[in-house]
Amino acid sequence: MTLYALDDQHFDHDLATIRIKNLRLRTYIGIKDDEIQNRQDVVINAIIRYRADNAVAFNRIEQALNYRTITKAVIALVEENRFLLLERMTREILDLIMSHEAVLTAQVEIDKPHALRFADSVSVTLSASREPRRPR
């Protein structure tokens, strides 16, 4: 369940990176009757990048992006809602993270363990950025 970061061309190396790894939650996800009626496991990974200059300079929590607050909001969103598609859940979590003004880029991957026979999991990954993409 590895989450791959955006490639280096999208990163300003002066940014801080927060990684939320393997957040294991249970929610209603899917379209089959048993999925609609029973909670299932999901594993969430997120990469969040923000400018941490003031947090580094002043060593004050008020200057840092509060990953605990973000994680609690993700937990509430996932556990209190129902989702038909992994894509929708991934987008909603990504939007929640991006709603914090300090966040410049974010990537969210959600795994649904045992969704396919003979596979450990199926996952969906989406990313967002406040910065315009550079032309290739």
Side-chain angles (χ1 to χ4, degrees), residues 62-84:
E62 303 83 29
Q63 303 293 325
L65 183 64
N66 191 330
Y67 55 82
R68 184 177 180 151
T69 300
I70 292 172
T71 302
K72 283 183 172 184
V74 169
I75 292 168
L77 174 71
V78 171
E79 291 184 342
E80 295 171 9
N81 288 284
R82 292 175 175 263
F83 306 91
L84 296 178

Side-chain angles (χ1 to χ4, degrees), residues 55-135:
V56 170
F58 301 109
N59 197 30
R60 298 185 55 94
I61 187 67
E62 303 83 29
Q63 303 293 325
L65 183 64
N66 191 330
Y67 55 82
R68 184 177 180 151
T69 300
I70 292 172
T71 302
K72 283 183 172 184
V74 169
I75 292 168
L77 174 71
V78 171
E79 291 184 342
E80 295 171 9
N81 288 284
R82 292 175 175 263
F83 306 91
L84 296 178
L85 301 174
L86 276 174
E87 291 85 349
R88 178 59 181 245
M89 184 190 314
T90 306
R91 171 52 62 190
E92 288 191 26
I93 293 171
L94 184 60
D95 289 348
L96 184 151
I97 292 170
M98 292 300 294
S99 73
H100 294 264
E101 286 185 29
V103 175
L104 297 177
T105 64
Q107 183 174 355
V108 174
E109 178 182 32
I110 302 179
D111 280 84
K112 185 177 174 184
H114 314 295
L116 290 176
R117 189 173 173 197
F118 306 121
D120 291 339
S121 70
V122 171
S123 71
V124 170
T125 303
L126 294 172
S127 59
S129 177
R130 292 194 198 289
E131 300 170 354
R133 295 190 79 145
R134 296 179 191 136

Side-chain angles (χ1 to χ4, degrees), residues 10 27 36 43 53 81 115 120 131:
H10 295 101
T27 192
I36 292 169
V43 181
D53 308 26
N81 288 284
D120 291 339
E131 300 170 354

